[in-house]
Amino acid sequence: MGAKSSSQRDENAAAQNIGHFDHSYEALLVSTSVGMVPDAAPGAPPAPAPVVAKLGEGRFVELVMKFDTVQLVEQGAGGEKRNLLTIPYAGVKTLEWDHSCSSVKISAGGAGGAEAYCVVKVGNSLELENEAKLRIRGLSRQGSGAPLNLTFAYCGTYAGPTKPKPFQRKRANLSTKPQGKLPPLALMRDLAIARHTGSGAPTRANGSKRVVHALQHVRTGGNTFAVLHAYERGSAKASEGMNEVESKLALSCGSTGQPGLAYVEGQRMVLSKNWDDVVGWTVHDKVHAGEMTCGIEIAFKTGSNGGQTTWFFVVLDVLHLKDAVEFFWNQREGAAGRPPQPRSTHGRSVVTVTTLQGEIAAPPAPPGSLDVTDEHGTLVRSSGTAHGGVARRKSTVYGSMVKGKKATGWSVNPRVEKHWDSVVVHQGWLLKKGGLAKSWIKRYAVLYKTAMGHFLCYYADFAKTPLFHDEERERRIIDLCKVTFVRPVSNHADVPPNSFDICTIEREWTLSADSKASMQQWLQVVTRAIDEDTAIVPDDELVFTVKPRVDPSMQLVKNEYSTALKVSASGVSVCAVTAADELVERFFWCYTDFFKWSILHHSGKTGLNVSVFTSADFDVKDRHEFLFRTRDAVKLATAIEFYIEKFMSIMHLYLETGTGEAGVGEGADDMAMGASEMATDNLLGGDELLDIGAGDDDDDDGMTAP
């Protein structure tokens, strides 16, 4: 690989030169610790009307970024400038960002170890974050003054121009358990291996079963699973073999004219129940142990005298059946004000969110729009009511002239209409870049809430959605459980106004709304959906072809692109690539096995250095250091970081048992120690040098992803 890209050179030059200029931001002082900032001077003028219109009411100040300090300045009664606060960058401990309200919390060490902080709101916190990083990088490269040890942190899903580093984000909490608590490392490792070798074994890249189940939910209002054998506990059928006819278990919310649970053998309805009839359920998943009779046991009410009956359903797809049952059960429980199923991951609501003032109860979910409009804004359908006559389907020059097609009428699909409002969170028109000319084109976007999580799909026209069309017409599907962060203002040049970026482990999506209000609504519903999917993981894998440079295991072919790293929900499979392009697993690393990792640079080439535990007791002295050369080192590291955060979210929910929590704190401390190592903040951009191989060719190594 060659020298640094032009964007990297421009960024380095900006970091070097920005210290020659001061930059002031109009701001509001939102809150402060005692003694951090003096009280407002008597007679201080109020904020100018344009500032109030932009930022709201509050104490008006200026935030000044200088060469080596950050200052807060206030205008006095006579117009004079009054310095409220001056902190050298070396004295700042943390800059914590909440881009949802364009605010930053500046924390410094206080007297006696107490935290001293102030929270300010600016017009564009993304611009401020970028400038702060450039100034810190420039100071560091000059090598003068006190060392800079500050860290960046983020509230929620929003981030700035660059991807947050591991564990810098304070994500939403889906549980009443305090964040930061985890089971012991050994238990988490056992659970990860059981999932990876059992029902949670990842599908090949671009072969997600979750997406198939999600689209089935969108089109039918529920999910259907093939049943190998089903019987009522205590009946003679329990000893019979597998069913001789095709049998299915269908699940839905039960509120759109369909039963919540229906079991059918051939053409015969055997069982039809509502979720209010369900007493409880238990998943029997021993696929990793080789058992063939895995499935789910569901207890139903019988009569009005408190009796019940229990059915057992043997299925192959245990994992996704469990996810669907969790979703529909938790939706019912949440609507009744009851807590979700312990340890469940699907269908949960957000319990608490973290703000710059601390952790608070989650606000109500933002409302979405169920209205359907054509591209000119004419109402096609409001919630549950179709409107006819004036709305038109989208027509294109290409479609009319080349294909000979013209826009035709539309009609509502009656099979979908009855459940459409139960699966749609929000819908409307967005611009995206695409086509042969890479122009901005209108697409009709729909945010779905399904048993498998949230998905943002877009279509050529509203009439191509399942509400109006029988065929599968999704142009693209964005799986929101794969989102790493969202930029509320796009980081790309030459984009229309009101553009934002959705960044996933596979690619970035830049979308543009037709107004600021529309953009804010899209951002609110999308980020809330991402928060609700915090503990939902993809079921497919990402595959990276790499060249081993350091291999203490002696099981890989060094200095050749003959190794693949398959990154998935439970860990990383290290595989050899055979002559027939088959992947043969050599060993598997659970995410508990990772001690730390870092991206290395040398002579324009990149690699990933990975340190993993080799002992069952996770002794830091027993580690192996691997080095893999790959041009996709950043994408590979991002995928590992993403899945580790997901894994920790799932393990956090695993504590919801009320039993056996002795030793949990010890396990949490173990993982926290590893997390702090892995989350080392390299904001200064210093490259680590290692012999990755200056003579390497520029082979097309890369990532396979959907």
PDB file of all heavy atoms in Angstrom, residues 208-226 249 251 316-324 328 450-453 455 539:
ATOM      1  N   SER A 208     -28.482 -14.569   6.255  1.00  0.00           N
ATOM      2  CA  SER A 208     -29.171 -14.381   7.527  1.00  0.00           C
ATOM      3  C   SER A 208     -30.576 -14.967   7.512  1.00  0.00           C
ATOM      4  O   SER A 208     -31.392 -14.650   6.639  1.00  0.00           O
ATOM      5  CB  SER A 208     -29.242 -12.889   7.864  1.00  0.00           C
ATOM      6  OG  SER A 208     -30.061 -12.660   8.984  1.00  0.00           O
ATOM      7  N   LYS A 209     -30.868 -15.799   8.509  1.00  0.00           N
ATOM      8  CA  LYS A 209     -32.241 -16.285   8.700  1.00  0.00           C
ATOM      9  C   LYS A 209     -33.092 -15.224   9.395  1.00  0.00           C
ATOM     10  O   LYS A 209     -34.311 -15.199   9.236  1.00  0.00           O
ATOM     11  CB  LYS A 209     -32.235 -17.564   9.532  1.00  0.00           C
ATOM     12  CG  LYS A 209     -31.565 -18.760   8.865  1.00  0.00           C
ATOM     13  CD  LYS A 209     -31.615 -19.977   9.772  1.00  0.00           C
ATOM     14  CE  LYS A 209     -30.922 -21.172   9.149  1.00  0.00           C
ATOM     15  NZ  LYS A 209     -30.929 -22.349  10.058  1.00  0.00           N
ATOM     16  N   ARG A 210     -32.442 -14.367  10.183  1.00  0.00           N
ATOM     17  CA  ARG A 210     -33.177 -13.298  10.871  1.00  0.00           C
ATOM     18  C   ARG A 210     -33.909 -12.423   9.872  1.00  0.00           C
ATOM     19  O   ARG A 210     -35.075 -12.058  10.081  1.00  0.00           O
ATOM     20  CB  ARG A 210     -32.218 -12.418  11.678  1.00  0.00           C
ATOM     21  CG  ARG A 210     -31.757 -12.959  12.988  1.00  0.00           C
ATOM     22  CD  ARG A 210     -30.895 -11.945  13.727  1.00  0.00           C
ATOM     23  NE  ARG A 210     -31.607 -10.720  14.012  1.00  0.00           N
ATOM     24  CZ  ARG A 210     -31.365  -9.551  13.405  1.00  0.00           C
ATOM     25  NH1 ARG A 210     -30.433  -9.464  12.483  1.00  0.00           N
ATOM     26  NH2 ARG A 210     -32.061  -8.473  13.740  1.00  0.00           N
ATOM     27  N   VAL A 211     -33.237 -12.047   8.800  1.00  0.00           N
ATOM     28  CA  VAL A 211     -33.853 -11.168   7.815  1.00  0.00           C
ATOM     29  C   VAL A 211     -35.051 -11.855   7.168  1.00  0.00           C
ATOM     30  O   VAL A 211     -36.092 -11.229   6.943  1.00  0.00           O
ATOM     31  CB  VAL A 211     -32.814 -10.746   6.755  1.00  0.00           C
ATOM     32  CG1 VAL A 211     -33.478  -9.916   5.666  1.00  0.00           C
ATOM     33  CG2 VAL A 211     -31.680  -9.954   7.397  1.00  0.00           C
ATOM     34  N   VAL A 212     -34.928 -13.154   6.891  1.00  0.00           N
ATOM     35  CA  VAL A 212     -36.042 -13.902   6.303  1.00  0.00           C
ATOM     36  C   VAL A 212     -37.241 -13.895   7.251  1.00  0.00           C
ATOM     37  O   VAL A 212     -38.378 -13.631   6.844  1.00  0.00           O
ATOM     38  CB  VAL A 212     -35.618 -15.346   5.976  1.00  0.00           C
ATOM     39  CG1 VAL A 212     -36.812 -16.171   5.498  1.00  0.00           C
ATOM     40  CG2 VAL A 212     -34.513 -15.350   4.925  1.00  0.00           C
ATOM     41  N   HIS A 213     -36.999 -14.170   8.541  1.00  0.00           N
ATOM     42  CA  HIS A 213     -38.083 -14.158   9.527  1.00  0.00           C
ATOM     43  C   HIS A 213     -38.665 -12.756   9.688  1.00  0.00           C
ATOM     44  O   HIS A 213     -39.884 -12.588   9.856  1.00  0.00           O
ATOM     45  CB  HIS A 213     -37.577 -14.660  10.873  1.00  0.00           C
ATOM     46  CG  HIS A 213     -37.358 -16.136  10.928  1.00  0.00           C
ATOM     47  ND1 HIS A 213     -38.359 -17.051  10.683  1.00  0.00           N
ATOM     48  CD2 HIS A 213     -36.248 -16.871  11.216  1.00  0.00           C
ATOM     49  CE1 HIS A 213     -37.889 -18.274  10.813  1.00  0.00           C
ATOM     50  NE2 HIS A 213     -36.615 -18.200  11.126  1.00  0.00           N
ATOM     51  N   ALA A 214     -37.808 -11.731   9.632  1.00  0.00           N
ATOM     52  CA  ALA A 214     -38.290 -10.359   9.786  1.00  0.00           C
ATOM     53  C   ALA A 214     -39.223  -9.973   8.644  1.00  0.00           C
ATOM     54  O   ALA A 214     -40.294  -9.391   8.861  1.00  0.00           O
ATOM     55  CB  ALA A 214     -37.106  -9.397   9.861  1.00  0.00           C
ATOM     56  N   LEU A 215     -38.833 -10.282   7.418  1.00  0.00           N
ATOM     57  CA  LEU A 215     -39.679  -9.955   6.274  1.00  0.00           C
ATOM     58  C   LEU A 215     -40.969 -10.772   6.296  1.00  0.00           C
ATOM     59  O   LEU A 215     -42.024 -10.289   5.852  1.00  0.00           O
ATOM     60  CB  LEU A 215     -38.910 -10.183   4.979  1.00  0.00           C
ATOM     61  CG  LEU A 215     -37.715  -9.243   4.755  1.00  0.00           C
ATOM     62  CD1 LEU A 215     -37.030  -9.562   3.436  1.00  0.00           C
ATOM     63  CD2 LEU A 215     -38.145  -7.782   4.792  1.00  0.00           C
ATOM     64  N   GLN A 216     -40.905 -12.003   6.801  1.00  0.00           N
ATOM     65  CA  GLN A 216     -42.132 -12.788   6.954  1.00  0.00           C
ATOM     66  C   GLN A 216     -43.080 -12.100   7.939  1.00  0.00           C
ATOM     67  O   GLN A 216     -44.294 -12.024   7.709  1.00  0.00           O
ATOM     68  CB  GLN A 216     -41.806 -14.197   7.439  1.00  0.00           C
ATOM     69  CG  GLN A 216     -43.039 -15.088   7.564  1.00  0.00           C
ATOM     70  CD  GLN A 216     -42.752 -16.401   8.263  1.00  0.00           C
ATOM     71  OE1 GLN A 216     -42.101 -16.432   9.309  1.00  0.00           O
ATOM     72  NE2 GLN A 216     -43.245 -17.489   7.691  1.00  0.00           N
ATOM     73  N   HIS A 217     -42.528 -11.574   9.024  1.00  0.00           N
ATOM     74  CA  HIS A 217     -43.344 -10.848  10.001  1.00  0.00           C
ATOM     75  C   HIS A 217     -43.990  -9.617   9.363  1.00  0.00           C
ATOM     76  O   HIS A 217     -45.172  -9.322   9.587  1.00  0.00           O
ATOM     77  CB  HIS A 217     -42.480 -10.445  11.196  1.00  0.00           C
ATOM     78  CG  HIS A 217     -43.255  -9.882  12.344  1.00  0.00           C
ATOM     79  ND1 HIS A 217     -42.687  -9.603  13.560  1.00  0.00           N
ATOM     80  CD2 HIS A 217     -44.554  -9.537  12.476  1.00  0.00           C
ATOM     81  CE1 HIS A 217     -43.609  -9.113  14.377  1.00  0.00           C
ATOM     82  NE2 HIS A 217     -44.744  -9.056  13.739  1.00  0.00           N
ATOM     83  N   VAL A 218     -43.219  -8.903   8.547  1.00  0.00           N
ATOM     84  CA  VAL A 218     -43.752  -7.709   7.886  1.00  0.00           C
ATOM     85  C   VAL A 218     -44.917  -8.073   6.974  1.00  0.00           C
ATOM     86  O   VAL A 218     -45.944  -7.379   6.941  1.00  0.00           O
ATOM     87  CB  VAL A 218     -42.637  -7.006   7.092  1.00  0.00           C
ATOM     88  CG1 VAL A 218     -43.218  -5.934   6.176  1.00  0.00           C
ATOM     89  CG2 VAL A 218     -41.613  -6.391   8.045  1.00  0.00           C
ATOM     90  N   ARG A 219     -44.794  -9.152   6.233  1.00  0.00           N
ATOM     91  CA  ARG A 219     -45.791  -9.493   5.205  1.00  0.00           C
ATOM     92  C   ARG A 219     -46.983 -10.275   5.744  1.00  0.00           C
ATOM     93  O   ARG A 219     -48.065 -10.241   5.162  1.00  0.00           O
ATOM     94  CB  ARG A 219     -45.115 -10.275   4.079  1.00  0.00           C
ATOM     95  CG  ARG A 219     -44.067  -9.460   3.336  1.00  0.00           C
ATOM     96  CD  ARG A 219     -43.538 -10.174   2.109  1.00  0.00           C
ATOM     97  NE  ARG A 219     -42.577  -9.325   1.429  1.00  0.00           N
ATOM     98  CZ  ARG A 219     -41.257  -9.398   1.618  1.00  0.00           C
ATOM     99  NH1 ARG A 219     -40.768 -10.294   2.444  1.00  0.00           N
ATOM    100  NH2 ARG A 219     -40.441  -8.590   0.974  1.00  0.00           N
ATOM    101  N   THR A 220     -46.767 -11.015   6.840  1.00  0.00           N
ATOM    102  CA  THR A 220     -47.856 -11.864   7.338  1.00  0.00           C
ATOM    103  C   THR A 220     -48.334 -11.481   8.726  1.00  0.00           C
ATOM    104  O   THR A 220     -49.356 -11.999   9.186  1.00  0.00           O
ATOM    105  CB  THR A 220     -47.420 -13.339   7.359  1.00  0.00           C
ATOM    106  OG1 THR A 220     -46.397 -13.522   8.357  1.00  0.00           O
ATOM    107  CG2 THR A 220     -46.894 -13.780   6.002  1.00  0.00           C
ATOM    108  N   GLY A 221     -47.601 -10.631   9.421  1.00  0.00           N
ATOM    109  CA  GLY A 221     -47.995 -10.252  10.772  1.00  0.00           C
ATOM    110  C   GLY A 221     -47.469 -11.177  11.844  1.00  0.00           C
ATOM    111  O   GLY A 221     -47.804 -11.019  13.021  1.00  0.00           O
ATOM    112  N   GLY A 222     -46.644 -12.158  11.487  1.00  0.00           N
ATOM    113  CA  GLY A 222     -46.101 -13.084  12.480  1.00  0.00           C
ATOM    114  C   GLY A 222     -45.027 -13.960  11.871  1.00  0.00           C
ATOM    115  O   GLY A 222     -44.530 -13.695  10.768  1.00  0.00           O
ATOM    116  N   ASN A 223     -44.656 -15.003  12.591  1.00  0.00           N
ATOM    117  CA  ASN A 223     -43.619 -15.928  12.148  1.00  0.00           C
ATOM    118  C   ASN A 223     -44.108 -17.361  12.244  1.00  0.00           C
ATOM    119  O   ASN A 223     -44.870 -17.716  13.151  1.00  0.00           O
ATOM    120  CB  ASN A 223     -42.346 -15.771  12.986  1.00  0.00           C
ATOM    121  CG  ASN A 223     -41.635 -14.458  12.706  1.00  0.00           C
ATOM    122  OD1 ASN A 223     -41.490 -13.629  13.590  1.00  0.00           O
ATOM    123  ND2 ASN A 223     -41.200 -14.264  11.478  1.00  0.00           N
ATOM    124  N   THR A 224     -43.647 -18.191  11.310  1.00  0.00           N
ATOM    125  CA  THR A 224     -44.025 -19.597  11.247  1.00  0.00           C
ATOM    126  C   THR A 224     -42.770 -20.460  11.312  1.00  0.00           C
ATOM    127  O   THR A 224     -41.779 -20.172  10.622  1.00  0.00           O
ATOM    128  CB  THR A 224     -44.792 -19.905   9.954  1.00  0.00           C
ATOM    129  OG1 THR A 224     -45.939 -19.055   9.881  1.00  0.00           O
ATOM    130  CG2 THR A 224     -45.244 -21.352   9.917  1.00  0.00           C
ATOM    131  N   PHE A 225     -42.822 -21.518  12.126  1.00  0.00           N
ATOM    132  CA  PHE A 225     -41.677 -22.402  12.305  1.00  0.00           C
ATOM    133  C   PHE A 225     -42.101 -23.848  12.051  1.00  0.00           C
ATOM    134  O   PHE A 225     -43.172 -24.283  12.508  1.00  0.00           O
ATOM    135  CB  PHE A 225     -41.106 -22.272  13.723  1.00  0.00           C
ATOM    136  CG  PHE A 225     -40.573 -20.899  14.017  1.00  0.00           C
ATOM    137  CD1 PHE A 225     -41.407 -19.909  14.518  1.00  0.00           C
ATOM    138  CD2 PHE A 225     -39.252 -20.586  13.781  1.00  0.00           C
ATOM    139  CE1 PHE A 225     -40.937 -18.637  14.775  1.00  0.00           C
ATOM    140  CE2 PHE A 225     -38.759 -19.318  14.030  1.00  0.00           C
ATOM    141  CZ  PHE A 225     -39.608 -18.346  14.537  1.00  0.00           C
ATOM    142  N   ALA A 226     -41.248 -24.575  11.329  1.00  0.00           N
ATOM    143  CA  ALA A 226     -41.514 -25.990  11.077  1.00  0.00           C
ATOM    144  C   ALA A 226     -41.364 -26.774  12.370  1.00  0.00           C
ATOM    145  O   ALA A 226     -40.394 -26.584  13.120  1.00  0.00           O
ATOM    146  CB  ALA A 226     -40.553 -26.530  10.018  1.00  0.00           C
ATOM    147  N   LEU A 249     -45.820 -24.198  13.640  1.00  0.00           N
ATOM    148  CA  LEU A 249     -46.234 -23.382  14.778  1.00  0.00           C
ATOM    149  C   LEU A 249     -46.173 -21.932  14.328  1.00  0.00           C
ATOM    150  O   LEU A 249     -45.112 -21.441  13.937  1.00  0.00           O
ATOM    151  CB  LEU A 249     -45.319 -23.609  15.980  1.00  0.00           C
ATOM    152  CG  LEU A 249     -45.616 -22.773  17.231  1.00  0.00           C
ATOM    153  CD1 LEU A 249     -46.985 -23.110  17.803  1.00  0.00           C
ATOM    154  CD2 LEU A 249     -44.530 -22.979  18.290  1.00  0.00           C
ATOM    155  N   LEU A 251     -46.815 -17.855  15.127  1.00  0.00           N
ATOM    156  CA  LEU A 251     -46.857 -16.880  16.213  1.00  0.00           C
ATOM    157  C   LEU A 251     -47.205 -15.512  15.655  1.00  0.00           C
ATOM    158  O   LEU A 251     -46.741 -15.132  14.577  1.00  0.00           O
ATOM    159  CB  LEU A 251     -45.505 -16.802  16.924  1.00  0.00           C
ATOM    160  CG  LEU A 251     -44.865 -18.103  17.412  1.00  0.00           C
ATOM    161  CD1 LEU A 251     -43.484 -17.827  17.971  1.00  0.00           C
ATOM    162  CD2 LEU A 251     -45.734 -18.765  18.459  1.00  0.00           C
ATOM    163  N   LEU A 316     -36.218 -27.402  14.708  1.00  0.00           N
ATOM    164  CA  LEU A 316     -34.801 -27.281  14.365  1.00  0.00           C
ATOM    165  C   LEU A 316     -34.281 -25.875  14.648  1.00  0.00           C
ATOM    166  O   LEU A 316     -33.171 -25.707  15.150  1.00  0.00           O
ATOM    167  CB  LEU A 316     -34.588 -27.624  12.882  1.00  0.00           C
ATOM    168  CG  LEU A 316     -34.712 -29.091  12.487  1.00  0.00           C
ATOM    169  CD1 LEU A 316     -34.542 -29.248  10.984  1.00  0.00           C
ATOM    170  CD2 LEU A 316     -33.673 -29.946  13.224  1.00  0.00           C
ATOM    171  N   ASP A 317     -35.084 -24.878  14.326  1.00  0.00           N
ATOM    172  CA  ASP A 317     -34.660 -23.486  14.486  1.00  0.00           C
ATOM    173  C   ASP A 317     -35.018 -22.990  15.889  1.00  0.00           C
ATOM    174  O   ASP A 317     -35.894 -22.140  16.074  1.00  0.00           O
ATOM    175  CB  ASP A 317     -35.332 -22.624  13.414  1.00  0.00           C
ATOM    176  CG  ASP A 317     -34.689 -21.246  13.275  1.00  0.00           C
ATOM    177  OD1 ASP A 317     -33.770 -20.947  14.050  1.00  0.00           O
ATOM    178  OD2 ASP A 317     -35.120 -20.487  12.392  1.00  0.00           O
ATOM    179  N   VAL A 318     -34.307 -23.524  16.883  1.00  0.00           N
ATOM    180  CA  VAL A 318     -34.624 -23.201  18.280  1.00  0.00           C
ATOM    181  C   VAL A 318     -34.365 -21.729  18.580  1.00  0.00           C
ATOM    182  O   VAL A 318     -35.163 -21.066  19.255  1.00  0.00           O
ATOM    183  CB  VAL A 318     -33.809 -24.093  19.241  1.00  0.00           C
ATOM    184  CG1 VAL A 318     -34.185 -23.806  20.688  1.00  0.00           C
ATOM    185  CG2 VAL A 318     -34.007 -25.552  18.914  1.00  0.00           C
ATOM    186  N   LEU A 319     -33.258 -21.221  18.081  1.00  0.00           N
ATOM    187  CA  LEU A 319     -32.857 -19.859  18.437  1.00  0.00           C
ATOM    188  C   LEU A 319     -33.884 -18.828  17.991  1.00  0.00           C
ATOM    189  O   LEU A 319     -34.322 -17.988  18.778  1.00  0.00           O
ATOM    190  CB  LEU A 319     -31.491 -19.545  17.818  1.00  0.00           C
ATOM    191  CG  LEU A 319     -30.963 -18.123  18.070  1.00  0.00           C
ATOM    192  CD1 LEU A 319     -30.673 -17.922  19.549  1.00  0.00           C
ATOM    193  CD2 LEU A 319     -29.724 -17.843  17.240  1.00  0.00           C
ATOM    194  N   HIS A 320     -34.295 -18.886  16.732  1.00  0.00           N
ATOM    195  CA  HIS A 320     -35.209 -17.859  16.238  1.00  0.00           C
ATOM    196  C   HIS A 320     -36.627 -18.060  16.769  1.00  0.00           C
ATOM    197  O   HIS A 320     -37.380 -17.085  16.913  1.00  0.00           O
ATOM    198  CB  HIS A 320     -35.186 -17.847  14.715  1.00  0.00           C
ATOM    199  CG  HIS A 320     -33.865 -17.407  14.156  1.00  0.00           C
ATOM    200  ND1 HIS A 320     -33.023 -18.236  13.466  1.00  0.00           N
ATOM    201  CD2 HIS A 320     -33.213 -16.214  14.231  1.00  0.00           C
ATOM    202  CE1 HIS A 320     -31.934 -17.582  13.122  1.00  0.00           C
ATOM    203  NE2 HIS A 320     -32.025 -16.355  13.576  1.00  0.00           N
ATOM    204  N   LEU A 321     -37.006 -19.304  17.055  1.00  0.00           N
ATOM    205  CA  LEU A 321     -38.289 -19.520  17.720  1.00  0.00           C
ATOM    206  C   LEU A 321     -38.268 -18.885  19.107  1.00  0.00           C
ATOM    207  O   LEU A 321     -39.229 -18.224  19.520  1.00  0.00           O
ATOM    208  CB  LEU A 321     -38.603 -21.004  17.816  1.00  0.00           C
ATOM    209  CG  LEU A 321     -39.857 -21.374  18.625  1.00  0.00           C
ATOM    210  CD1 LEU A 321     -41.098 -20.701  18.053  1.00  0.00           C
ATOM    211  CD2 LEU A 321     -40.043 -22.886  18.680  1.00  0.00           C
ATOM    212  N   LYS A 322     -37.179 -19.063  19.828  1.00  0.00           N
ATOM    213  CA  LYS A 322     -37.042 -18.426  21.144  1.00  0.00           C
ATOM    214  C   LYS A 322     -37.157 -16.902  21.018  1.00  0.00           C
ATOM    215  O   LYS A 322     -37.870 -16.247  21.789  1.00  0.00           O
ATOM    216  CB  LYS A 322     -35.684 -18.781  21.758  1.00  0.00           C
ATOM    217  CG  LYS A 322     -35.382 -18.048  23.069  1.00  0.00           C
ATOM    218  CD  LYS A 322     -33.943 -18.205  23.476  1.00  0.00           C
ATOM    219  CE  LYS A 322     -33.015 -17.343  22.660  1.00  0.00           C
ATOM    220  NZ  LYS A 322     -33.153 -15.884  22.984  1.00  0.00           N
ATOM    221  N   ASP A 323     -36.466 -16.334  20.020  1.00  0.00           N
ATOM    222  CA  ASP A 323     -36.500 -14.887  19.841  1.00  0.00           C
ATOM    223  C   ASP A 323     -37.921 -14.394  19.557  1.00  0.00           C
ATOM    224  O   ASP A 323     -38.354 -13.366  20.090  1.00  0.00           O
ATOM    225  CB  ASP A 323     -35.577 -14.480  18.687  1.00  0.00           C
ATOM    226  CG  ASP A 323     -34.112 -14.747  18.988  1.00  0.00           C
ATOM    227  OD1 ASP A 323     -33.766 -14.907  20.170  1.00  0.00           O
ATOM    228  OD2 ASP A 323     -33.321 -14.803  18.028  1.00  0.00           O
ATOM    229  N   ALA A 324     -38.651 -15.134  18.718  1.00  0.00           N
ATOM    230  CA  ALA A 324     -40.019 -14.721  18.378  1.00  0.00           C
ATOM    231  C   ALA A 324     -40.948 -14.814  19.587  1.00  0.00           C
ATOM    232  O   ALA A 324     -41.759 -13.917  19.837  1.00  0.00           O
ATOM    233  CB  ALA A 324     -40.546 -15.573  17.223  1.00  0.00           C
ATOM    234  N   PHE A 328     -43.062 -11.543  21.243  1.00  0.00           N
ATOM    235  CA  PHE A 328     -44.514 -11.429  21.411  1.00  0.00           C
ATOM    236  C   PHE A 328     -44.919 -11.473  22.886  1.00  0.00           C
ATOM    237  O   PHE A 328     -45.844 -10.777  23.306  1.00  0.00           O
ATOM    238  CB  PHE A 328     -45.217 -12.528  20.621  1.00  0.00           C
ATOM    239  CG  PHE A 328     -45.097 -12.365  19.136  1.00  0.00           C
ATOM    240  CD1 PHE A 328     -44.425 -13.293  18.363  1.00  0.00           C
ATOM    241  CD2 PHE A 328     -45.648 -11.265  18.505  1.00  0.00           C
ATOM    242  CE1 PHE A 328     -44.312 -13.143  16.992  1.00  0.00           C
ATOM    243  CE2 PHE A 328     -45.541 -11.092  17.128  1.00  0.00           C
ATOM    244  CZ  PHE A 328     -44.871 -12.041  16.370  1.00  0.00           C
ATOM    245  N   THR A 450     -40.041  -5.790  14.181  1.00  0.00           N
ATOM    246  CA  THR A 450     -40.396  -7.190  13.993  1.00  0.00           C
ATOM    247  C   THR A 450     -39.900  -8.020  15.165  1.00  0.00           C
ATOM    248  O   THR A 450     -39.177  -7.521  16.037  1.00  0.00           O
ATOM    249  CB  THR A 450     -39.786  -7.748  12.699  1.00  0.00           C
ATOM    250  OG1 THR A 450     -38.376  -8.016  12.909  1.00  0.00           O
ATOM    251  CG2 THR A 450     -39.941  -6.766  11.544  1.00  0.00           C
ATOM    252  N   ALA A 451     -40.256  -9.292  15.154  1.00  0.00           N
ATOM    253  CA  ALA A 451     -39.810 -10.199  16.216  1.00  0.00           C
ATOM    254  C   ALA A 451     -38.310 -10.402  16.193  1.00  0.00           C
ATOM    255  O   ALA A 451     -37.733 -10.863  17.183  1.00  0.00           O
ATOM    256  CB  ALA A 451     -40.523 -11.546  16.082  1.00  0.00           C
ATOM    257  N   MET A 452     -37.654 -10.069  15.085  1.00  0.00           N
ATOM    258  CA  MET A 452     -36.208 -10.238  14.961  1.00  0.00           C
ATOM    259  C   MET A 452     -35.440  -8.937  15.170  1.00  0.00           C
ATOM    260  O   MET A 452     -34.218  -8.903  15.018  1.00  0.00           O
ATOM    261  CB  MET A 452     -35.862 -10.806  13.578  1.00  0.00           C
ATOM    262  CG  MET A 452     -36.488 -12.149  13.285  1.00  0.00           C
ATOM    263  SD  MET A 452     -35.875 -13.473  14.374  1.00  0.00           S
ATOM    264  CE  MET A 452     -37.407 -14.021  15.140  1.00  0.00           C
ATOM    265  N   GLY A 453     -36.157  -7.866  15.509  1.00  0.00           N
ATOM    266  CA  GLY A 453     -35.509  -6.577  15.678  1.00  0.00           C
ATOM    267  C   GLY A 453     -36.064  -5.553  14.714  1.00  0.00           C
ATOM    268  O   GLY A 453     -37.054  -5.789  14.020  1.00  0.00           O
ATOM    269  N   PHE A 455     -35.800  -3.023  11.386  1.00  0.00           N
ATOM    270  CA  PHE A 455     -35.186  -2.969  10.062  1.00  0.00           C
ATOM    271  C   PHE A 455     -35.711  -1.734   9.333  1.00  0.00           C
ATOM    272  O   PHE A 455     -36.914  -1.462   9.345  1.00  0.00           O
ATOM    273  CB  PHE A 455     -35.523  -4.224   9.250  1.00  0.00           C
ATOM    274  CG  PHE A 455     -34.946  -5.488   9.836  1.00  0.00           C
ATOM    275  CD1 PHE A 455     -35.581  -6.132  10.888  1.00  0.00           C
ATOM    276  CD2 PHE A 455     -33.768  -6.023   9.340  1.00  0.00           C
ATOM    277  CE1 PHE A 455     -35.058  -7.289  11.447  1.00  0.00           C
ATOM    278  CE2 PHE A 455     -33.240  -7.174   9.882  1.00  0.00           C
ATOM    279  CZ  PHE A 455     -33.874  -7.817  10.932  1.00  0.00           C
ATOM    280  N   ASP A 539     -27.176 -12.853  13.033  1.00  0.00           N
ATOM    281  CA  ASP A 539     -26.952 -14.295  13.045  1.00  0.00           C
ATOM    282  C   ASP A 539     -26.018 -14.743  11.930  1.00  0.00           C
ATOM    283  O   ASP A 539     -25.709 -15.931  11.826  1.00  0.00           O
ATOM    284  CB  ASP A 539     -28.282 -15.052  12.940  1.00  0.00           C
ATOM    285  CG  ASP A 539     -28.996 -14.783  11.626  1.00  0.00           C
ATOM    286  OD1 ASP A 539     -28.661 -13.778  10.960  1.00  0.00           O
ATOM    287  OD2 ASP A 539     -29.897 -15.565  11.264  1.00  0.00           O
TER     288      ASP A 539
END
